[in-house]
C-alpha cells in the first residue's frame, strides 16, 4: 500500500473528523490505503459504538479494509491518536512501513500538569501489537511543545500534521448579520462537559441568551449544565449529529467558544469549520496560540460587550 491507516472507529468528535478528512483526501489522490480498525483499552465501555463516518471510509476508492492478524506494508503508516495505543489495543497485525507515525490529536499533559498519557508507552505498545516503530506527528504547536518533554525517548516529525479540510463542504450560504433574524451566537462540539466552562456563571455569561440575543448550541450536556446551575433551557439546543454542521454554522452570526479549565484543546477543528463558513470568531484566550489574528478573544464575562462591539459594524466583522 501507499499508506496504512490504523484507528479506533469508536472515537468521536474532532479526531475522527480529522481521520475521515485524511483518508478521503488520500483516496482522492489515488493512493492505495490499507485501513485497519482496532479496539483500544482507552474506550473500555462496550456501549461505545463505531462511528459511521469512520466505517464508511472502507467504501472509498483505493481503500482496503484489513483484518486483525494481517500482514501488510505501506510507504507510510498513520496510527491515529496516541490514546488509542497508550493503554494497548486488542488486535495484533504484522505491519511494516518506511515511516510510521502516531498522529497526536491530543497533548500528553492535562492543564494541571498531570499526565494524560505517556507517549513512550504508546510507541512501545504500538510496536508490540503492530510491529512498527512510530514517531510522533503532532497536530499543532501546542502538542509538539508538550511532546518535546519526552525526548529522547520519543521522536517527532520535523513538521506538524495539522487537520485538513475539504473546503467544498464548508461554504458561506448565509452571510453573518443578514436578514431579519435576531442576532445569533453559538457553538458546536460533542456533548462533553469538558467542552464547556466549569461554572454556571461562566456558561451563562459566555452564552447570554435574552430578548435581543439568540443562542444556538449543537451538542450540549444539558443535564450536567443544569446541575451546575446554568440555564441551557434559554438556548436553542440541537443534539449532536441532528443537524449538518455547516448548515448549523450558517445560522450563526458569531461563533463563540469557551471550554473547561481542565481541558486542553489540541487543535480546535470546530473553530476552523466556523471560520470556513465565514463566521466571526470570539474565542477562549487559550486558543490565541493556535489561531492568532484570525479571531478575537475575551473572557466569558466580556462576551456580551464583545458581541455588541462586533455586531455594531457588520461589514467589518464579515471582512
Amino acid at each position: 500500500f501507499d499508506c496504512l491507516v490504523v484507528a479506533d472507529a469508536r472515537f468521536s468528535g474532532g479526531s475522527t473528523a480529522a481521520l475521515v478528512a485524511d483518508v478521503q483526501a488520500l483516496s482522492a489522490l489515488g493512493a492505495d490505503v490499507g485501513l485497519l480498525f482496532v479496539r483500544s483499552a482507552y474506550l473500555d465501555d462496550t456501549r461505545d459504538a463505531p462511528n459511521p463516518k469512520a466505517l464508511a471510509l472502507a467504501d472509498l476508492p483505493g481503500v482496503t479494509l484489513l483484518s486483525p492478524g494481517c500482514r501488510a506494508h505501506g510507504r507510510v503508516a498513520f496510527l491515529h491518536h496516541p490514546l488509542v495505543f497508550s493503554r494497548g489495543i486488542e488486535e495484533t497485525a504484522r505491519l511494516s512501513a518506511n515511516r510510521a507515525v502516531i498522529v497526536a490529536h491530543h497533548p500528553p499533559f492535562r492543564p494541571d500538569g498531570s499526565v494524560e498519557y505517556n507517549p513512550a508507552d504508546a510507541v512501545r505498545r504500538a510496536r508490540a501489537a503492530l510491529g512498527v516503530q512510530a514517531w510522533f506527528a503532532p497536530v499543532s504547536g501546542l502538542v509538539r511543545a508538550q511532546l518535546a518533554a519526552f525526548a529522547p525517548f520519543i521522536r517527532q516529525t520535523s513538521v506538524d500534521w495539522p487537520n485538513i479540510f475539504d473546503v467544498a463542504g464548508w461554504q458561506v450560504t448565509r452571510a453573518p448579520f443578514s436578514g431579519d433574524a435576531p442576532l445569533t451566537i453559538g457553538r458546536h462540539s460533542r456533548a462533553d462537559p469538558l467542552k464547556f466552562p466549569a461554572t454556571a456563571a461562566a456558561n451563562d455569561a459566555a452564552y447570554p441568551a435574552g430578548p435581543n440575543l439568540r443562542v444556538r448550541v449543537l451538542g450540549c450536556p444539558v443535564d450536567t449544565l443544569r446541575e451546575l446551575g446554568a440555564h441551557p433551557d434559554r438556548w436553542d439546543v440541537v443534539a449532536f449529529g441532528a443537524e449538518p454542521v455547516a448548515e448549523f454554522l450558517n445560522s450563526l452570526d458569531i461563533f463563540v467558544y469557551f471550554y473547561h479549565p481542565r481541558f486542553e484543546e489540541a487543535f480546535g477543528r470546530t473553530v476552523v469549520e466556523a471560520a470556513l463558513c465565514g463566521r466571526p470568531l470570539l474565542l477562549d484566550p487559550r486558543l490565541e496560540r493556535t489561531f492568532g489574528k484570525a479571531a478575537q478573544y475575551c473572557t466569558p464575562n466580556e462576551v456580551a460587550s464583545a458581541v455588541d462591539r462586533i455586531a455594531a459594524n457588520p461589514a467589518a466583522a464579515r471582512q
Side-chain angles (χ1 to χ4, degrees), residues 7-300:
D8 189 329
R10 298 172 297 161
F11 273 65
S12 63
S15 61
T16 293
L19 162 73
V20 169
D22 279 6
V23 177
Q24 287 175 338
L26 291 168
S27 171
L29 289 169
D32 290 319
V33 179
L35 176 63
L36 176 63
F37 287 125
V38 297
R39 289 177 61 88
S40 170
Y42 177 74
L43 294 178
D44 58 1
D45 191 333
T46 56
R47 293 173 298 176
D48 289 316
N51 189 311
K53 292 182 179 179
L55 296 180
L57 296 174
D59 298 325
L60 292 175
V63 176
T64 300
L65 186 63
L66 303 178
S67 299
C70 70
R71 182 190 298 268
H73 175 79
R75 292 168 58 190
V76 61
F78 296 101
L79 281 54
H80 274 268
H81 212 311
L83 286 170
V84 170
F85 304 97
S86 61
R87 298 188 190 178
I89 57 176
E90 295 179 6
E91 297 78 5
T92 60
R94 300 288 298 278
L95 306 183
S96 61
N98 299 347
R99 170 70 63 234
V101 296
I102 294 175
V103 181
H105 295 282
H106 199 76
F109 295 108
R110 302 182 183 94
D112 63 2
S114 60
V115 176
E116 179 84 16
Y117 66 89
N118 184 333
D121 284 345
V123 171
R124 176 175 57 82
R125 288 178 169 152
R127 181 178 182 179
L130 303 174
V132 291
Q133 181 71 25
W135 293 21
F136 276 85
V139 298
S140 68
L142 165 69
V143 179
R144 174 175 295 278
Q146 290 200 12
L147 287 172
F150 293 87
F153 305 105
I154 64 168
R155 298 186 71 174
Q156 297 194 66
T157 55
S158 59
V159 295
D160 295 345
W161 188 260
N163 289 194
I164 63 171
F165 299 81
D166 180 356
V167 296
W170 307 98
Q171 298 287 328
V172 180
T173 58
R174 184 194 73 89
F177 313 106
S178 62
D180 297 327
L183 183 66
T184 303
I185 68 171
R187 41 92 46 85
H188 77 291
S189 70
R190 64 180 186 271
D192 185 335
L194 291 177
K195 289 284 190 175
F196 285 77
T199 66
N203 277 285
D204 288 346
Y207 305 101
N212 300 315
L213 183 64
R214 184 186 184 195
V215 173
R216 299 200 76 215
V217 175
L218 176 61
C220 181
V222 172
D223 292 341
T224 300
L225 297 187
R226 283 177 182 152
E227 290 173 3
L228 288 176
H231 298 84
D233 296 330
R234 298 173 182 171
W235 309 340
D236 176 10
V237 175
V238 182
F240 187 70
E243 187 172 316
V245 176
E247 179 181 314
F248 170 84
L249 289 170
N250 273 278
S251 74
L252 307 180
D253 296 303
I254 305 173
F255 182 78
V256 180
Y257 187 61
F258 293 87
Y259 51 96
H260 203 286
R262 296 205 309 269
F263 181 72
E264 197 74 89
E265 192 68 76
F267 180 74
R269 188 176 181 88
T270 58
V271 175
V272 181
E273 292 168 351
L276 290 173
C277 288
R279 304 304 106 176
L281 308 174
L282 188 58
L283 306 178
D284 189 304
R286 290 173 288 172
L287 289 168
E288 187 170 6
R289 59 196 171 194
T290 300
F291 297 108
K293 295 180 180 179
Q296 297 183 51
Y297 307 90
C298 69
T299 66

